[in-house]
Amino acid sequence: QVQLVESGGGLVQAGASLRLSCAASGRMFSRYAMDWFRQAPGKEREFVADLSRSGSSTYYADSVKGRFTISRDNAKNTVYLQMNSLKPEDTAVYYCAARGLGSSWQGPYEYWGQGTQVTVSS
């Protein structure tokens, strides 16, 4: 069992930066690829970024490519999402998720966090 807890969200102005963290419980963190998703009010949840188990391979949604960076520290059981040049359209609840062997960024995902709110004002 893996529990994921996100933190680092908040209210910022357009153009600012935030770094989200997702702390995982358990000793098997390095066995999971980690992803970030987001859900804006009235919209479906959407994929944001994907990171391989080793941290050597990443994949991003076009909407965040060049602005967001996903990374992980397996020694700390934590995955990060560095968000730069934030835009009002980035406003959403951000979730981290863990996926195991044989999965891809399209799923399936085994564990989800509870989410952290990011609000970007114009």
Side-chain angles (χ1 to χ4, degrees), residues 5-9 19-23 33-39 45-51 59-61 64 68-72 78-83 93-98 105 109 112-113 115-116 118:
V5 179
E6 301 96 335
S7 62
R19 188 176 82 156
L20 305 183
S21 299
C22 172
M34 298 298 297
D35 292 64
W36 286 94
F37 285 77
R38 66 187 182 185
Q39 187 167 19
R45 186 172 57 195
E46 65 172 352
F47 167 80
V48 174
D50 176 81
L51 181 63
Y59 181 68
Y60 297 93
V64 306
F68 291 12
T69 302
I70 188 171
S71 62
R72 69 192 295 162
T78 302
V79 62
Y80 305 97
L81 185 67
Q82 178 67 44
M83 306 186 294
V93 177
Y94 284 71
Y95 301 89
C96 65
W105 67 270
Y109 290 87
W112 292 86
T116 185
V118 172

mmCIF file of all heavy atoms in Angstrom, residues 5-9 19-23 33-39 45-51 59-61 64 68-72 78-83 93-98 105 109 112-113 115-116 118:
data_model
loop_
_atom_site.group_PDB
_atom_site.id
_atom_site.type_symbol
_atom_site.label_atom_id
_atom_site.label_comp_id
_atom_site.label_asym_id
_atom_site.label_seq_id
_atom_site.Cartn_x
_atom_site.Cartn_y
_atom_site.Cartn_z
ATOM 1 N N VAL A 5 0.712 12.117 -0.463
ATOM 2 C CA VAL A 5 0.237 13.363 0.133
ATOM 3 C C VAL A 5 0.899 14.535 -0.586
ATOM 4 O O VAL A 5 2.126 14.699 -0.519
ATOM 5 C CB VAL A 5 0.550 13.426 1.635
ATOM 6 C CG1 VAL A 5 0.055 14.752 2.204
ATOM 7 C CG2 VAL A 5 -0.086 12.247 2.362
ATOM 8 N N GLU A 6 0.074 15.349 -1.247
ATOM 9 C CA GLU A 6 0.576 16.509 -1.961
ATOM 10 C C GLU A 6 0.643 17.734 -1.046
ATOM 11 O O GLU A 6 -0.123 17.842 -0.081
ATOM 12 C CB GLU A 6 -0.322 16.856 -3.164
ATOM 13 C CG GLU A 6 -0.481 15.768 -4.196
ATOM 14 C CD GLU A 6 -1.729 14.937 -3.986
ATOM 15 O OE1 GLU A 6 -2.207 14.876 -2.821
ATOM 16 O OE2 GLU A 6 -2.233 14.361 -4.955
ATOM 17 N N SER A 7 1.535 18.635 -1.389
ATOM 18 C CA SER A 7 1.638 19.901 -0.677
ATOM 19 C C SER A 7 2.271 20.927 -1.608
ATOM 20 O O SER A 7 2.787 20.581 -2.671
ATOM 21 C CB SER A 7 2.462 19.754 0.597
ATOM 22 O OG SER A 7 3.788 19.352 0.279
ATOM 23 N N GLY A 8 2.222 22.191 -1.187
ATOM 24 C CA GLY A 8 2.893 23.232 -1.938
ATOM 25 C C GLY A 8 1.987 24.115 -2.770
ATOM 26 O O GLY A 8 2.449 25.074 -3.380
ATOM 27 N N GLY A 9 0.712 23.799 -2.798
ATOM 28 C CA GLY A 9 -0.207 24.622 -3.553
ATOM 29 C C GLY A 9 -0.413 25.975 -2.894
ATOM 30 O O GLY A 9 0.027 26.219 -1.768
ATOM 31 N N ARG A 19 6.346 25.226 -6.417
ATOM 32 C CA ARG A 19 6.828 23.855 -6.474
ATOM 33 C C ARG A 19 5.915 22.982 -5.625
ATOM 34 O O ARG A 19 5.791 23.190 -4.417
ATOM 35 C CB ARG A 19 8.266 23.719 -5.984
ATOM 36 C CG ARG A 19 8.813 22.313 -6.223
ATOM 37 C CD ARG A 19 10.263 22.164 -5.845
ATOM 38 N NE ARG A 19 10.430 21.944 -4.412
ATOM 39 C CZ ARG A 19 11.480 21.339 -3.877
ATOM 40 N NH1 ARG A 19 12.463 20.888 -4.653
ATOM 41 N NH2 ARG A 19 11.568 21.207 -2.571
ATOM 42 N N LEU A 20 5.307 22.021 -6.269
ATOM 43 C CA LEU A 20 4.471 21.055 -5.577
ATOM 44 C C LEU A 20 5.314 19.855 -5.179
ATOM 45 O O LEU A 20 6.243 19.471 -5.891
ATOM 46 C CB LEU A 20 3.321 20.590 -6.465
ATOM 47 C CG LEU A 20 2.421 21.682 -7.051
ATOM 48 C CD1 LEU A 20 1.296 21.036 -7.846
ATOM 49 C CD2 LEU A 20 1.884 22.583 -5.969
ATOM 50 N N SER A 21 4.959 19.272 -4.046
ATOM 51 C CA SER A 21 5.607 18.058 -3.581
ATOM 52 C C SER A 21 4.565 16.986 -3.371
ATOM 53 O O SER A 21 3.412 17.270 -3.028
ATOM 54 C CB SER A 21 6.352 18.302 -2.269
ATOM 55 O OG SER A 21 7.363 19.271 -2.415
ATOM 56 N N CYS A 22 4.973 15.767 -3.547
ATOM 57 C CA CYS A 22 4.108 14.622 -3.293
ATOM 58 C C CYS A 22 4.950 13.606 -2.521
ATOM 59 O O CYS A 22 5.866 13.000 -3.085
ATOM 60 C CB CYS A 22 3.605 14.037 -4.593
ATOM 61 S SG CYS A 22 2.710 12.472 -4.419
ATOM 62 N N ALA A 23 4.622 13.453 -1.259
ATOM 63 C CA ALA A 23 5.365 12.529 -0.401
ATOM 64 C C ALA A 23 4.657 11.187 -0.348
ATOM 65 O O ALA A 23 3.442 11.120 -0.132
ATOM 66 C CB ALA A 23 5.483 13.113 0.994
ATOM 67 N N ALA A 33 6.423 4.532 -11.362
ATOM 68 C CA ALA A 33 6.502 5.759 -12.119
ATOM 69 C C ALA A 33 5.504 6.723 -11.492
ATOM 70 O O ALA A 33 4.473 6.300 -10.947
ATOM 71 C CB ALA A 33 6.159 5.511 -13.577
ATOM 72 N N MET A 34 5.809 7.991 -11.550
ATOM 73 C CA MET A 34 4.975 8.976 -10.883
ATOM 74 C C MET A 34 4.479 10.017 -11.879
ATOM 75 O O MET A 34 5.205 10.412 -12.806
ATOM 76 C CB MET A 34 5.770 9.661 -9.768
ATOM 77 C CG MET A 34 6.232 8.719 -8.672
ATOM 78 S SD MET A 34 4.870 7.923 -7.792
ATOM 79 C CE MET A 34 4.054 9.347 -7.067
ATOM 80 N N ASP A 35 3.271 10.443 -11.643
ATOM 81 C CA ASP A 35 2.649 11.398 -12.561
ATOM 82 C C ASP A 35 1.941 12.507 -11.788
ATOM 83 O O ASP A 35 1.578 12.332 -10.621
ATOM 84 C CB ASP A 35 1.627 10.683 -13.445
ATOM 85 C CG ASP A 35 2.289 9.727 -14.415
ATOM 86 O OD1 ASP A 35 2.908 8.757 -13.950
ATOM 87 O OD2 ASP A 35 2.202 9.976 -15.638
ATOM 88 N N TRP A 36 1.737 13.604 -12.477
ATOM 89 C CA TRP A 36 0.892 14.680 -11.970
ATOM 90 C C TRP A 36 -0.285 14.877 -12.919
ATOM 91 O O TRP A 36 -0.127 14.843 -14.144
ATOM 92 C CB TRP A 36 1.656 15.987 -11.866
ATOM 93 C CG TRP A 36 2.623 16.031 -10.731
ATOM 94 C CD1 TRP A 36 3.961 15.725 -10.761
ATOM 95 C CD2 TRP A 36 2.345 16.405 -9.371
ATOM 96 N NE1 TRP A 36 4.523 15.882 -9.519
ATOM 97 C CE2 TRP A 36 3.549 16.307 -8.641
ATOM 98 C CE3 TRP A 36 1.194 16.831 -8.699
ATOM 99 C CZ2 TRP A 36 3.639 16.603 -7.287
ATOM 100 C CZ3 TRP A 36 1.284 17.126 -7.354
ATOM 101 C CH2 TRP A 36 2.489 17.021 -6.656
ATOM 102 N N PHE A 37 -1.444 15.079 -12.304
ATOM 103 C CA PHE A 37 -2.663 15.418 -13.027
ATOM 104 C C PHE A 37 -3.228 16.689 -12.423
ATOM 105 O O PHE A 37 -2.813 17.118 -11.343
ATOM 106 C CB PHE A 37 -3.702 14.291 -12.887
ATOM 107 C CG PHE A 37 -3.410 13.075 -13.703
ATOM 108 C CD1 PHE A 37 -2.447 12.157 -13.304
ATOM 109 C CD2 PHE A 37 -4.106 12.826 -14.884
ATOM 110 C CE1 PHE A 37 -2.173 11.025 -14.059
ATOM 111 C CE2 PHE A 37 -3.844 11.690 -15.642
ATOM 112 C CZ PHE A 37 -2.879 10.800 -15.230
ATOM 113 N N ARG A 38 -4.203 17.263 -13.094
ATOM 114 C CA ARG A 38 -4.896 18.417 -12.531
ATOM 115 C C ARG A 38 -6.348 18.410 -12.982
ATOM 116 O O ARG A 38 -6.688 17.844 -14.020
ATOM 117 C CB ARG A 38 -4.219 19.720 -12.924
ATOM 118 C CG ARG A 38 -4.284 20.054 -14.413
ATOM 119 C CD ARG A 38 -3.435 21.282 -14.696
ATOM 120 N NE ARG A 38 -3.499 21.678 -16.115
ATOM 121 C CZ ARG A 38 -2.775 22.654 -16.631
ATOM 122 N NH1 ARG A 38 -1.914 23.336 -15.873
ATOM 123 N NH2 ARG A 38 -2.902 22.947 -17.914
ATOM 124 N N GLN A 39 -7.167 19.043 -12.166
ATOM 125 C CA GLN A 39 -8.585 19.163 -12.498
ATOM 126 C C GLN A 39 -9.055 20.560 -12.167
ATOM 127 O O GLN A 39 -9.030 20.964 -10.995
ATOM 128 C CB GLN A 39 -9.417 18.118 -11.758
ATOM 129 C CG GLN A 39 -10.863 18.090 -12.199
ATOM 130 C CD GLN A 39 -11.606 16.872 -11.708
ATOM 131 O OE1 GLN A 39 -11.191 16.204 -10.756
ATOM 132 N NE2 GLN A 39 -12.719 16.543 -12.368
ATOM 133 N N ARG A 45 -10.450 15.735 -15.243
ATOM 134 C CA ARG A 45 -9.060 15.654 -14.843
ATOM 135 C C ARG A 45 -8.185 15.438 -16.070
ATOM 136 O O ARG A 45 -8.532 14.663 -16.964
ATOM 137 C CB ARG A 45 -8.880 14.497 -13.870
ATOM 138 C CG ARG A 45 -7.498 14.371 -13.264
ATOM 139 C CD ARG A 45 -7.504 13.316 -12.179
ATOM 140 N NE ARG A 45 -7.945 12.041 -12.667
ATOM 141 C CZ ARG A 45 -8.313 11.022 -11.887
ATOM 142 N NH1 ARG A 45 -8.308 11.179 -10.581
ATOM 143 N NH2 ARG A 45 -8.696 9.881 -12.407
ATOM 144 N N GLU A 46 -7.037 16.125 -16.096
ATOM 145 C CA GLU A 46 -6.163 16.003 -17.248
ATOM 146 C C GLU A 46 -4.735 15.697 -16.821
ATOM 147 O O GLU A 46 -4.279 16.116 -15.758
ATOM 148 C CB GLU A 46 -6.174 17.291 -18.091
ATOM 149 C CG GLU A 46 -5.606 18.514 -17.411
ATOM 150 C CD GLU A 46 -5.462 19.697 -18.346
ATOM 151 O OE1 GLU A 46 -5.666 19.547 -19.571
ATOM 152 O OE2 GLU A 46 -5.131 20.798 -17.854
ATOM 153 N N PHE A 47 -4.053 14.980 -17.684
ATOM 154 C CA PHE A 47 -2.662 14.618 -17.459
ATOM 155 C C PHE A 47 -1.778 15.856 -17.560
ATOM 156 O O PHE A 47 -2.007 16.718 -18.407
ATOM 157 C CB PHE A 47 -2.254 13.589 -18.515
ATOM 158 C CG PHE A 47 -0.779 13.349 -18.597
ATOM 159 C CD1 PHE A 47 -0.148 12.515 -17.684
ATOM 160 C CD2 PHE A 47 -0.016 13.965 -19.575
ATOM 161 C CE1 PHE A 47 1.212 12.299 -17.756
ATOM 162 C CE2 PHE A 47 1.349 13.750 -19.661
ATOM 163 C CZ PHE A 47 1.957 12.910 -18.745
ATOM 164 N N VAL A 48 -0.760 15.912 -16.693
ATOM 165 C CA VAL A 48 0.179 17.030 -16.710
ATOM 166 C C VAL A 48 1.597 16.563 -17.027
ATOM 167 O O VAL A 48 2.227 17.073 -17.946
ATOM 168 C CB VAL A 48 0.161 17.766 -15.359
ATOM 169 C CG1 VAL A 48 1.255 18.839 -15.326
ATOM 170 C CG2 VAL A 48 -1.203 18.387 -15.098
ATOM 171 N N ALA A 49 2.094 15.593 -16.238
ATOM 172 C CA ALA A 49 3.490 15.195 -16.413
ATOM 173 C C ALA A 49 3.707 13.781 -15.911
ATOM 174 O O ALA A 49 3.027 13.331 -14.985
ATOM 175 C CB ALA A 49 4.421 16.148 -15.674
ATOM 176 N N ASP A 50 4.669 13.125 -16.514
ATOM 177 C CA ASP A 50 5.001 11.744 -16.186
ATOM 178 C C ASP A 50 6.503 11.603 -15.975
ATOM 179 O O ASP A 50 7.300 12.222 -16.686
ATOM 180 C CB ASP A 50 4.554 10.834 -17.335
ATOM 181 C CG ASP A 50 4.949 9.382 -17.123
ATOM 182 O OD1 ASP A 50 4.243 8.687 -16.388
ATOM 183 O OD2 ASP A 50 5.981 8.957 -17.689
ATOM 184 N N LEU A 51 6.867 10.751 -15.003
ATOM 185 C CA LEU A 51 8.273 10.538 -14.695
ATOM 186 C C LEU A 51 8.518 9.064 -14.451
ATOM 187 O O LEU A 51 7.807 8.436 -13.673
ATOM 188 C CB LEU A 51 8.661 11.353 -13.457
ATOM 189 C CG LEU A 51 10.109 11.272 -12.999
ATOM 190 C CD1 LEU A 51 11.050 11.831 -14.059
ATOM 191 C CD2 LEU A 51 10.284 12.031 -11.686
ATOM 192 N N TYR A 59 7.672 12.970 -19.575
ATOM 193 C CA TYR A 59 6.709 13.259 -20.642
ATOM 194 C C TYR A 59 5.743 14.299 -20.109
ATOM 195 O O TYR A 59 5.297 14.202 -18.962
ATOM 196 C CB TYR A 59 5.968 11.983 -21.055
ATOM 197 C CG TYR A 59 4.972 12.181 -22.169
ATOM 198 C CD1 TYR A 59 5.397 12.490 -23.459
ATOM 199 C CD2 TYR A 59 3.610 12.066 -21.934
ATOM 200 C CE1 TYR A 59 4.477 12.673 -24.478
ATOM 201 C CE2 TYR A 59 2.687 12.252 -22.949
ATOM 202 C CZ TYR A 59 3.133 12.555 -24.216
ATOM 203 O OH TYR A 59 2.225 12.740 -25.234
ATOM 204 N N TYR A 60 5.432 15.299 -20.939
ATOM 205 C CA TYR A 60 4.602 16.404 -20.501
ATOM 206 C C TYR A 60 3.431 16.647 -21.446
ATOM 207 O O TYR A 60 3.523 16.423 -22.657
ATOM 208 C CB TYR A 60 5.429 17.695 -20.437
ATOM 209 C CG TYR A 60 6.554 17.664 -19.437
ATOM 210 C CD1 TYR A 60 7.834 17.279 -19.804
ATOM 211 C CD2 TYR A 60 6.327 18.023 -18.108
ATOM 212 C CE1 TYR A 60 8.870 17.252 -18.890
ATOM 213 C CE2 TYR A 60 7.359 18.006 -17.182
ATOM 214 C CZ TYR A 60 8.621 17.613 -17.578
ATOM 215 O OH TYR A 60 9.638 17.589 -16.662
ATOM 216 N N ALA A 61 2.371 17.165 -20.875
ATOM 217 C CA ALA A 61 1.283 17.669 -21.701
ATOM 218 C C ALA A 61 1.783 18.904 -22.446
ATOM 219 O O ALA A 61 2.604 19.666 -21.925
ATOM 220 C CB ALA A 61 0.083 18.018 -20.833
ATOM 221 N N VAL A 64 1.872 22.408 -20.748
ATOM 222 C CA VAL A 64 2.834 22.772 -19.695
ATOM 223 C C VAL A 64 4.278 22.587 -20.127
ATOM 224 O O VAL A 64 5.201 22.969 -19.381
ATOM 225 C CB VAL A 64 2.579 21.957 -18.407
ATOM 226 C CG1 VAL A 64 1.127 22.101 -17.967
ATOM 227 C CG2 VAL A 64 2.962 20.498 -18.575
ATOM 228 N N PHE A 68 6.802 23.556 -16.893
ATOM 229 C CA PHE A 68 6.765 22.665 -15.736
ATOM 230 C C PHE A 68 7.874 21.624 -15.841
ATOM 231 O O PHE A 68 8.204 21.162 -16.935
ATOM 232 C CB PHE A 68 5.426 21.941 -15.656
ATOM 233 C CG PHE A 68 4.241 22.800 -15.304
ATOM 234 C CD1 PHE A 68 4.312 24.183 -15.298
ATOM 235 C CD2 PHE A 68 3.029 22.200 -14.973
ATOM 236 C CE1 PHE A 68 3.221 24.966 -14.967
ATOM 237 C CE2 PHE A 68 1.914 22.971 -14.642
ATOM 238 C CZ PHE A 68 2.017 24.347 -14.659
ATOM 239 N N THR A 69 8.381 21.225 -14.672
ATOM 240 C CA THR A 69 9.399 20.180 -14.617
ATOM 241 C C THR A 69 9.057 19.203 -13.514
ATOM 242 O O THR A 69 8.855 19.610 -12.366
ATOM 243 C CB THR A 69 10.792 20.769 -14.360
ATOM 244 O OG1 THR A 69 11.116 21.711 -15.379
ATOM 245 C CG2 THR A 69 11.846 19.666 -14.349
ATOM 246 N N ILE A 70 8.986 17.938 -13.862
ATOM 247 C CA ILE A 70 8.737 16.892 -12.877
ATOM 248 C C ILE A 70 10.064 16.252 -12.509
ATOM 249 O O ILE A 70 10.939 16.041 -13.367
ATOM 250 C CB ILE A 70 7.734 15.851 -13.429
ATOM 251 C CG1 ILE A 70 7.332 14.862 -12.334
ATOM 252 C CG2 ILE A 70 8.274 15.138 -14.661
ATOM 253 C CD1 ILE A 70 6.186 13.927 -12.741
ATOM 254 N N SER A 71 10.222 15.944 -11.230
ATOM 255 C CA SER A 71 11.445 15.304 -10.770
ATOM 256 C C SER A 71 11.119 14.461 -9.542
ATOM 257 O O SER A 71 10.019 14.550 -8.999
ATOM 258 C CB SER A 71 12.517 16.348 -10.423
ATOM 259 O OG SER A 71 12.081 17.188 -9.373
ATOM 260 N N ARG A 72 12.075 13.662 -9.122
ATOM 261 C CA ARG A 72 11.843 12.828 -7.952
ATOM 262 C C ARG A 72 13.133 12.649 -7.175
ATOM 263 O O ARG A 72 14.231 12.732 -7.730
ATOM 264 C CB ARG A 72 11.274 11.462 -8.354
ATOM 265 C CG ARG A 72 12.241 10.561 -9.104
ATOM 266 C CD ARG A 72 11.506 9.363 -9.713
ATOM 267 N NE ARG A 72 10.946 8.500 -8.684
ATOM 268 C CZ ARG A 72 9.968 7.601 -8.924
ATOM 269 N NH1 ARG A 72 9.466 7.477 -10.144
ATOM 270 N NH2 ARG A 72 9.517 6.841 -7.946
ATOM 271 N N THR A 78 9.784 11.197 -2.615
ATOM 272 C CA THR A 78 9.057 12.404 -2.974
ATOM 273 C C THR A 78 9.197 12.692 -4.462
ATOM 274 O O THR A 78 10.284 12.539 -5.035
ATOM 275 C CB THR A 78 9.559 13.609 -2.168
ATOM 276 O OG1 THR A 78 9.403 13.337 -0.764
ATOM 277 C CG2 THR A 78 8.769 14.861 -2.506
ATOM 278 N N VAL A 79 8.101 13.127 -5.054
ATOM 279 C CA VAL A 79 8.107 13.603 -6.428
ATOM 280 C C VAL A 79 7.699 15.069 -6.400
ATOM 281 O O VAL A 79 6.899 15.490 -5.556
ATOM 282 C CB VAL A 79 7.167 12.768 -7.319
ATOM 283 C CG1 VAL A 79 5.733 12.869 -6.873
ATOM 284 C CG2 VAL A 79 7.313 13.170 -8.787
ATOM 285 N N TYR A 80 8.283 15.845 -7.304
ATOM 286 C CA TYR A 80 8.063 17.272 -7.335
ATOM 287 C C TYR A 80 7.501 17.709 -8.685
ATOM 288 O O TYR A 80 7.697 17.045 -9.704
ATOM 289 C CB TYR A 80 9.380 18.018 -7.106
ATOM 290 C CG TYR A 80 10.096 17.631 -5.837
ATOM 291 C CD1 TYR A 80 11.131 16.696 -5.850
ATOM 292 C CD2 TYR A 80 9.734 18.197 -4.624
ATOM 293 C CE1 TYR A 80 11.788 16.333 -4.694
ATOM 294 C CE2 TYR A 80 10.392 17.840 -3.454
ATOM 295 C CZ TYR A 80 11.411 16.914 -3.491
ATOM 296 O OH TYR A 80 12.064 16.550 -2.334
ATOM 297 N N LEU A 81 6.823 18.843 -8.641
ATOM 298 C CA LEU A 81 6.416 19.495 -9.882
ATOM 299 C C LEU A 81 6.774 20.967 -9.750
ATOM 300 O O LEU A 81 6.121 21.700 -8.997
ATOM 301 C CB LEU A 81 4.922 19.326 -10.147
ATOM 302 C CG LEU A 81 4.454 19.882 -11.501
ATOM 303 C CD1 LEU A 81 5.044 19.050 -12.646
ATOM 304 C CD2 LEU A 81 2.929 19.905 -11.581
ATOM 305 N N GLN A 82 7.825 21.360 -10.440
ATOM 306 C CA GLN A 82 8.220 22.766 -10.477
ATOM 307 C C GLN A 82 7.421 23.446 -11.572
ATOM 308 O O GLN A 82 7.497 23.034 -12.735
ATOM 309 C CB GLN A 82 9.719 22.887 -10.756
ATOM 310 C CG GLN A 82 10.213 24.314 -10.862
ATOM 311 C CD GLN A 82 10.128 25.073 -9.556
ATOM 312 O OE1 GLN A 82 10.479 24.553 -8.508
ATOM 313 N NE2 GLN A 82 9.662 26.316 -9.619
ATOM 314 N N MET A 83 6.688 24.470 -11.188
ATOM 315 C CA MET A 83 5.817 25.163 -12.135
ATOM 316 C C MET A 83 6.270 26.609 -12.252
ATOM 317 O O MET A 83 6.241 27.352 -11.275
ATOM 318 C CB MET A 83 4.364 25.102 -11.658
ATOM 319 C CG MET A 83 3.875 23.684 -11.380
ATOM 320 S SD MET A 83 2.113 23.625 -10.975
ATOM 321 C CE MET A 83 2.113 24.523 -9.425
ATOM 322 N N VAL A 93 -6.943 21.843 -9.087
ATOM 323 C CA VAL A 93 -6.446 20.962 -8.031
ATOM 324 C C VAL A 93 -5.463 20.004 -8.695
ATOM 325 O O VAL A 93 -5.799 19.377 -9.705
ATOM 326 C CB VAL A 93 -7.579 20.188 -7.356
ATOM 327 C CG1 VAL A 93 -7.003 19.223 -6.310
ATOM 328 C CG2 VAL A 93 -8.575 21.146 -6.710
ATOM 329 N N TYR A 94 -4.287 19.925 -8.118
ATOM 330 C CA TYR A 94 -3.222 19.089 -8.675
ATOM 331 C C TYR A 94 -3.092 17.815 -7.849
ATOM 332 O O TYR A 94 -3.031 17.874 -6.617
ATOM 333 C CB TYR A 94 -1.898 19.838 -8.705
ATOM 334 C CG TYR A 94 -1.830 20.847 -9.825
ATOM 335 C CD1 TYR A 94 -2.586 22.012 -9.785
ATOM 336 C CD2 TYR A 94 -1.028 20.624 -10.943
ATOM 337 C CE1 TYR A 94 -2.552 22.928 -10.826
ATOM 338 C CE2 TYR A 94 -0.973 21.541 -11.987
ATOM 339 C CZ TYR A 94 -1.742 22.691 -11.923
ATOM 340 O OH TYR A 94 -1.705 23.591 -12.955
ATOM 341 N N TYR A 95 -3.039 16.695 -8.563
ATOM 342 C CA TYR A 95 -2.951 15.384 -7.940
ATOM 343 C C TYR A 95 -1.697 14.660 -8.410
ATOM 344 O O TYR A 95 -1.344 14.713 -9.585
ATOM 345 C CB TYR A 95 -4.148 14.519 -8.331
ATOM 346 C CG TYR A 95 -5.491 15.073 -7.955
ATOM 347 C CD1 TYR A 95 -6.193 15.907 -8.821
ATOM 348 C CD2 TYR A 95 -6.078 14.744 -6.730
ATOM 349 C CE1 TYR A 95 -7.435 16.414 -8.475
ATOM 350 C CE2 TYR A 95 -7.321 15.243 -6.383
ATOM 351 C CZ TYR A 95 -7.987 16.082 -7.262
ATOM 352 O OH TYR A 95 -9.224 16.572 -6.915
ATOM 353 N N CYS A 96 -1.072 13.952 -7.502
ATOM 354 C CA CYS A 96 -0.024 13.039 -7.932
ATOM 355 C C CYS A 96 -0.593 11.624 -7.948
ATOM 356 O O CYS A 96 -1.571 11.325 -7.260
ATOM 357 C CB CYS A 96 1.218 13.109 -7.052
ATOM 358 S SG CYS A 96 0.983 12.591 -5.352
ATOM 359 N N ALA A 97 0.010 10.796 -8.761
ATOM 360 C CA ALA A 97 -0.457 9.420 -8.923
ATOM 361 C C ALA A 97 0.726 8.508 -9.181
ATOM 362 O O ALA A 97 1.742 8.932 -9.754
ATOM 363 C CB ALA A 97 -1.452 9.331 -10.076
ATOM 364 N N ALA A 98 0.588 7.270 -8.764
ATOM 365 C CA ALA A 98 1.645 6.273 -8.927
ATOM 366 C C ALA A 98 1.158 5.134 -9.815
ATOM 367 O O ALA A 98 0.024 4.658 -9.655
ATOM 368 C CB ALA A 98 2.078 5.733 -7.571
ATOM 369 N N TRP A 105 1.770 6.360 -19.172
ATOM 370 C CA TRP A 105 1.178 7.587 -18.655
ATOM 371 C C TRP A 105 -0.338 7.581 -18.881
ATOM 372 O O TRP A 105 -1.073 8.325 -18.251
ATOM 373 C CB TRP A 105 1.810 8.819 -19.303
ATOM 374 C CG TRP A 105 1.533 8.978 -20.759
ATOM 375 C CD1 TRP A 105 2.269 8.483 -21.796
ATOM 376 C CD2 TRP A 105 0.443 9.684 -21.358
ATOM 377 N NE1 TRP A 105 1.706 8.830 -22.999
ATOM 378 C CE2 TRP A 105 0.593 9.561 -22.761
ATOM 379 C CE3 TRP A 105 -0.643 10.404 -20.851
ATOM 380 C CZ2 TRP A 105 -0.304 10.143 -23.646
ATOM 381 C CZ3 TRP A 105 -1.536 10.994 -21.743
ATOM 382 C CH2 TRP A 105 -1.355 10.845 -23.124
ATOM 383 N N TYR A 109 -3.409 3.610 -13.109
ATOM 384 C CA TYR A 109 -2.772 4.164 -11.933
ATOM 385 C C TYR A 109 -3.257 3.412 -10.696
ATOM 386 O O TYR A 109 -4.426 3.099 -10.571
ATOM 387 C CB TYR A 109 -3.085 5.664 -11.818
ATOM 388 C CG TYR A 109 -2.392 6.454 -12.901
ATOM 389 C CD1 TYR A 109 -2.977 6.627 -14.147
ATOM 390 C CD2 TYR A 109 -1.117 6.979 -12.684
ATOM 391 C CE1 TYR A 109 -2.319 7.308 -15.151
ATOM 392 C CE2 TYR A 109 -0.451 7.671 -13.679
ATOM 393 C CZ TYR A 109 -1.055 7.826 -14.906
ATOM 394 O OH TYR A 109 -0.396 8.501 -15.902
ATOM 395 N N TRP A 112 -3.492 7.353 -5.751
ATOM 396 C CA TRP A 112 -3.713 8.781 -5.976
ATOM 397 C C TRP A 112 -3.603 9.536 -4.664
ATOM 398 O O TRP A 112 -3.973 9.021 -3.606
ATOM 399 C CB TRP A 112 -5.115 9.019 -6.554
ATOM 400 C CG TRP A 112 -5.297 8.510 -7.941
ATOM 401 C CD1 TRP A 112 -5.649 7.236 -8.302
ATOM 402 C CD2 TRP A 112 -5.136 9.249 -9.148
ATOM 403 N NE1 TRP A 112 -5.706 7.149 -9.666
ATOM 404 C CE2 TRP A 112 -5.407 8.364 -10.216
ATOM 405 C CE3 TRP A 112 -4.795 10.571 -9.435
ATOM 406 C CZ2 TRP A 112 -5.343 8.762 -11.559
ATOM 407 C CZ3 TRP A 112 -4.737 10.960 -10.763
ATOM 408 C CH2 TRP A 112 -5.007 10.069 -11.808
ATOM 409 N N GLY A 113 -3.132 10.761 -4.760
ATOM 410 C CA GLY A 113 -3.150 11.631 -3.602
ATOM 411 C C GLY A 113 -4.481 12.350 -3.499
ATOM 412 O O GLY A 113 -5.380 12.179 -4.338
ATOM 413 N N GLY A 115 -4.823 15.689 -3.443
ATOM 414 C CA GLY A 115 -4.817 16.916 -4.230
ATOM 415 C C GLY A 115 -4.402 18.143 -3.446
ATOM 416 O O GLY A 115 -4.550 18.213 -2.217
ATOM 417 N N THR A 116 -3.878 19.122 -4.165
ATOM 418 C CA THR A 116 -3.520 20.407 -3.585
ATOM 419 C C THR A 116 -3.961 21.501 -4.563
ATOM 420 O O THR A 116 -3.778 21.370 -5.775
ATOM 421 C CB THR A 116 -2.017 20.498 -3.277
ATOM 422 O OG1 THR A 116 -1.727 21.720 -2.598
ATOM 423 C CG2 THR A 116 -1.156 20.415 -4.533
ATOM 424 N N VAL A 118 -4.070 24.889 -6.595
ATOM 425 C CA VAL A 118 -3.229 25.933 -7.160
ATOM 426 C C VAL A 118 -4.150 26.948 -7.826
ATOM 427 O O VAL A 118 -4.972 26.584 -8.675
ATOM 428 C CB VAL A 118 -2.232 25.372 -8.193
ATOM 429 C CG1 VAL A 118 -1.510 26.504 -8.915
ATOM 430 C CG2 VAL A 118 -1.238 24.446 -7.511
#
